[in-house]
Amino acid sequence: SSPDIEGVSPELEKAGLLNKTKIAEGGRKLRKNWNPSWVVLVGNSLVFFKDPKSQNPDSWKPGNSRPESSVDLRGAQLQWADDLSSRKNVFKLRTITGNEFLLQSETESLIREWYRTIQNVIDRLDKE
Ligand code: I3S
């Protein structure tokens, strides 16, 4: 299971290694390309790093290492998406701008924890 990094920063909620593929950009379908990604949930954003050197809780800090991409969770939607992949433990994240990602882990407890934590952030932003 991922280390408990709560307390490192008031904004840093979670970080860990997941498999990721983008499947749509602005509503346009993309060809899948699964890759391991270091995923950091900080503030209202989910930030993706591909550099293995980024795999530590300081990685999100400005200037430490460059993210591959970043997703604004405001207005985003989550759903389990085992129908969209032959992989197990897959969920889809859709941003308000129509970008879609699949996130996956071999470890069911770990992916459930990510789903729950991201959904909590989305719900919090919905209430603002
Ligand atoms: O949903 P798809 O199109 O069956 O996804 C598979 C393909 O993208 C495949 O690559 P090709 O574009 O070369 O066919 C990927 O290698 C697979 O990983 C994709 O399926 P999974 O079930 O792994 O999401």
Side-chain angles (χ1 to χ4, degrees):
S1 66
S2 60
D4 182 6
I5 50 171
E6 269 177 312
V8 171
S9 150
E11 282 199 301
L12 179 58
E13 307 222 22
K14 196 169 176 57
L17 197 61
L18 295 175
N19 296 312
K20 182 193 82 160
T21 181
K22 193 172 187 180
I23 59 165
E25 165 89 40
R28 288 171 59 121
K29 196 167 181 281
L30 297 175
R31 189 167 183 174
K32 277 181 186 164
N33 180 23
W34 284 104
N35 282 117
S37 181
W38 183 249
V39 184
V40 179
L41 180 58
V42 55
N44 302 346
S45 298
L46 203 57
V47 187
F48 301 119
F49 296 84
K50 61 179 170 188
D51 181 356
K53 291 200 293 284
S54 320
Q55 294 179 17
N56 71 72
D58 289 333
S59 54
W60 64 276
K61 287 179 182 164
N64 275 17
S65 80
R66 197 148 37 98
E68 184 186 20
S69 61
S70 163
V71 165
D72 183 0
L73 293 174
R74 193 179 294 275
Q77 294 178 325
L78 275 193
Q79 61 185 88
W80 291 107
D82 288 336
D83 55 325
L84 296 182
S85 175
S86 62
R87 296 176 177 226
K88 59 180 181 177
N89 308 327
V90 182
F91 66 75
K92 182 172 84 174
L93 170 66
R94 185 186 193 282
T95 68
I96 205 163
T97 56
N99 294 341
E100 297 182 359
F101 301 85
L102 299 183
L103 293 170
Q104 188 262 346
S105 168
E106 289 306 307
T107 309
E108 185 181 347
S109 57
L110 197 150
I111 201 73
R112 294 182 76 89
E113 175 101 339
W114 271 101
Y115 187 100
R116 194 173 55 84
T117 309
I118 295 171
Q119 188 64 62
N120 284 345
V121 172
I122 293 171
D123 289 347
R124 167 168 53 76
L125 292 170
D126 279 350
K127 285 185 204 122
E128 279 180 9

